[in-house]
Amino acid sequence: MPVPERFDVPEDGAGARAAASVGWREFFVDPQLKSLIAQALANNRDLAAAVARVEQARALYRIQDADRWPSVNASGGAARGRTPLSPAMGGGSVIADQYNVQAAVSSFEIDFWGRVANLSEAARRRFLATLEAERAFRLSLVANVGATYYAILSGQDGIDLAQRTLDARSYGLEIARMRLDAGVTSLVDYDQAVILATQAQGQLAELQRSVEQLNNQLMILVGGPVSGLLPLRKSITHTEQFGAIAVGLPSQLLARRPDILQAEQQLRAAEADIGAARAAFFPRISLTGNFGYVSTEMSDLLNSGQKTWSLGGVIGLPIFDAGQRAAVLAQTRARREELVAAYQRTVQGAFAEVSDALIARRRLSEQIAAQETAVAAQQRLSETAELRYQNGISIYLEVMDAKRNQFAAEQQLIQLRAAALQNGVSLYVALGGGGERESRPD
């Protein structure tokens, strides 16, 4: 597939490592977030289901692979029978004992054309695909916990800002009431102070609702109520939130991203299915055999003279099936073409995610710097408006607009910082971060 030779980013810094080799414990710096991720990986119910699917696929692979080897069964038995004699033989009856022990191979297919081997390979590739799917889900879970955690932190900072704003505006409202009672100010100015206070009160309630719902979402992600005393968290203004990771080359994503590796394994399974469907056009040869001992005396059972054996074979040649085998082969080939397209689409999506995260990292940094300047300017403007009003130069509406704009600018700065942190998590996952890969067969 046509892909860019390199990402449009500055060179990786000293000490940066490929994301796939950096575990989440190394990548995340916040001790509280690391504690939450550990609980999620231990208790999340969806992850438990993903692990169970891996075990199912592993068992199915072992079941299918067992067909490549003969199945040997041992048995033994003892019998006593009465046989009547004809009058010509003197009448009466004969009572005889028979003992036997044997090992038998029943219907073992000699895989000349690779049908059984291809079925085993298809099952193995699907097992490997479930391993990659489980790893992808782990990364997704880490990303969701990180994104929710940073949203909660920004919400809590927003609540603190809204509470401080409400306290200041409530104090201003009390001053406005006293000025109104003293006849120093008008009812219009007082009502505008009321509006400022109620707006802050409404925004505080909205932020509290959002954070409480995010806490519920986090509880589901970690698999239940957060247990134990959590370490102290770091503020979203803390600059060192993540470990250094290298962006690397675009082609390296093909060997890093678990979703790409999953699509690759599914495609390889489809190739093996084609081989099995093609082999169905050729004869199937099966062998049966047994070896053992038969004797009328238990003490004589294992003597060499009591050996018994048999060996046989069956060959089945397809002659006419109304095109069934041809249709199966066509279906497997069409399935392969579908998975080729799915693989290519997965690769395209992976490159887009990395590119989007890199663009966001650069632009969010620029936005934060610009917003910090805007917040400082809004704060100075608010202070100036307050002074102008106190000196009778302007009306209270100017103060009201300045304070409202200052609050909005500070809230936007908090949201931009949270978005930058969430994007850092997204970039880590998009680059195939994790470094925790289950061992698997070659």
Side-chain angles (χ1 to χ4, degrees):
M1 294 181 59
V3 296
E5 293 184 1
R6 59 182 60 252
F7 293 111
D8 184 20
V9 293
E11 293 295 326
D12 296 323
R17 294 158 50 200
S21 65
V22 179
W24 60 266
R25 291 182 179 85
E26 298 177 79
F27 178 71
F28 294 104
V29 174
D30 192 316
Q32 188 172 120
L33 176 56
K34 289 197 283 189
S35 177
L36 291 170
I37 291 174
Q39 291 188 42
L41 293 176
N43 301 321
N44 184 269
R45 301 302 186 266
D46 291 329
L47 179 58
V51 172
R53 286 192 291 271
V54 170
E55 294 307 314
Q56 292 177 49
R58 192 196 307 269
L60 289 173
Y61 163 53
R62 292 175 61 190
I63 291 170
Q64 185 62 60
D65 191 59
D67 287 341
R68 299 176 59 193
W69 310 97
S71 177
V72 181
N73 300 302
S75 64
R80 168 171 289 185
R82 175 181 179 276
T83 304
L85 300 177
S86 65
M89 299 178 64
S93 62
V94 175
I95 297 176
D97 296 329
Q98 186 179 62
Y99 304 93
N100 70 84
V101 60
Q102 61 181 347
V105 175
S106 59
S107 190
F108 170 61
E109 181 175 346
I110 301 178
D111 195 25
F112 282 126
W113 325 113
R115 189 187 75 87
V116 178
N118 276 298
L119 289 175
S120 176
E121 175 66 6
R124 187 176 78 94
R125 292 297 178 179
R126 291 190 176 95
F127 160 56
L128 295 179
T130 59
L131 281 177
E132 297 299 344
E134 186 257 352
R135 179 171 168 249
F137 185 85
R138 284 180 180 272
L139 283 180
S140 175
L141 180 59
V142 169
N144 286 334
V145 172
T148 304
Y149 176 77
Y150 288 127
I152 291 173
L153 291 195
S154 67
Q156 290 173 340
D157 283 1
I159 288 173
D160 293 341
L161 173 62
Q163 186 63 61
R164 292 195 304 271
T165 303
L166 177 59
D167 293 342
R169 291 181 184 180
S170 297
Y171 177 74
L173 177 60
E174 182 63 23
I175 297 298
R177 186 188 63 77
M178 290 188 293
R179 288 168 63 89
L180 177 64
D181 292 342
V184 179
T185 188
S186 67
L187 182 61
V188 173
D189 288 348
Y190 174 76
D191 286 340
Q192 288 173 340
V194 171
I195 291 172
L196 273 179
T198 54
Q199 284 178 341
Q201 191 173 22
Q203 289 165 335
L204 175 60
E206 169 65 18
L207 288 167
Q208 289 171 333
R209 177 193 62 80
S210 177
V211 169
E212 288 169 4
Q213 290 176 339
L214 285 170
N215 278 316
N216 286 337
Q217 181 178 334
L218 182 63
M219 184 179 69
I220 293 174
L221 290 173
V222 302
V226 177
S227 60
L229 182 63
L230 291 175
L232 294 176
R233 67 176 177 87
K234 291 185 178 294
S235 169
I236 60 173
T237 59
H238 186 71
T239 56
E240 300 296 330
Q241 293 279 359
F242 307 123
I245 56 174
V247 175
L249 299 175
S251 58
Q252 293 172 327
L253 281 184
L254 302 181
R256 290 178 180 175
R257 291 263 304 215
D259 55 342
I260 294 178
L261 295 175
Q262 179 187 2
E264 178 186 340
Q265 297 296 352
Q266 290 172 338
L267 180 55
R268 291 178 182 272
E271 294 279 5
D273 285 336
I274 292 175
R278 188 185 295 115
F281 285 87
F282 299 99
R284 293 176 62 177
I285 301 174
S286 300
L287 296 180
T288 59
N290 67 69
F291 174 83
Y293 297 87
V294 177
S295 174
T296 58
E297 299 291 339
M298 175 67 78
S299 60
D300 197 36
L301 178 60
L302 299 180
N303 288 343
S304 59
Q306 307 301 325
K307 290 180 181 178
T308 179
W309 59 268
S310 68
L311 181 65
V314 177
I315 182 169
L317 179 65
I319 297 177
F320 176 74
D321 62 359
Q324 183 184 50
R325 270 178 276 262
V328 170
L329 179 59
Q331 187 268 338
T332 56
R333 285 173 171 166
R335 172 64 176 163
R336 176 191 176 278
E337 294 306 312
E338 176 191 356
L339 291 173
V340 167
Y343 177 79
Q344 293 171 341
R345 179 64 186 87
T346 302
V347 172
Q348 289 176 337
F351 285 119
E353 287 178 10
V354 174
S355 180
D356 288 346
L358 291 172
I359 292 171
R361 182 174 68 174
R362 182 170 63 251
R363 299 309 179 192
L364 282 169
S365 177
E366 295 171 357
Q367 283 182 273
I368 289 172
Q371 192 63 26
E372 287 174 342
T373 303
V375 166
Q378 286 289 349
Q379 186 174 3
R380 291 194 301 269
L381 184 60
S382 180
E383 293 171 354
T384 301
E386 185 73 33
L387 288 174
R388 284 167 57 85
Y389 173 71
Q390 291 175 0
N391 290 296
I393 301 175
S394 66
I395 60 176
Y396 196 75
L397 181 61
E398 182 178 326
V399 177
M400 179 178 177
D401 288 339
K403 289 185 177 297
R404 184 163 46 229
N405 291 337
Q406 179 188 354
F407 179 77
E410 290 175 338
Q411 287 286 6
Q412 186 176 358
L413 178 58
I414 291 173
Q415 292 169 4
L416 285 172
R417 285 170 173 163
L421 292 174
Q422 291 171 330
N423 184 71
V425 179
S426 298
L427 178 60
Y428 173 67
V429 173
L431 290 172
E436 297 177 1
R437 183 187 296 269
E438 184 174 339
S439 60
R440 63 205 61 190
D442 295 329

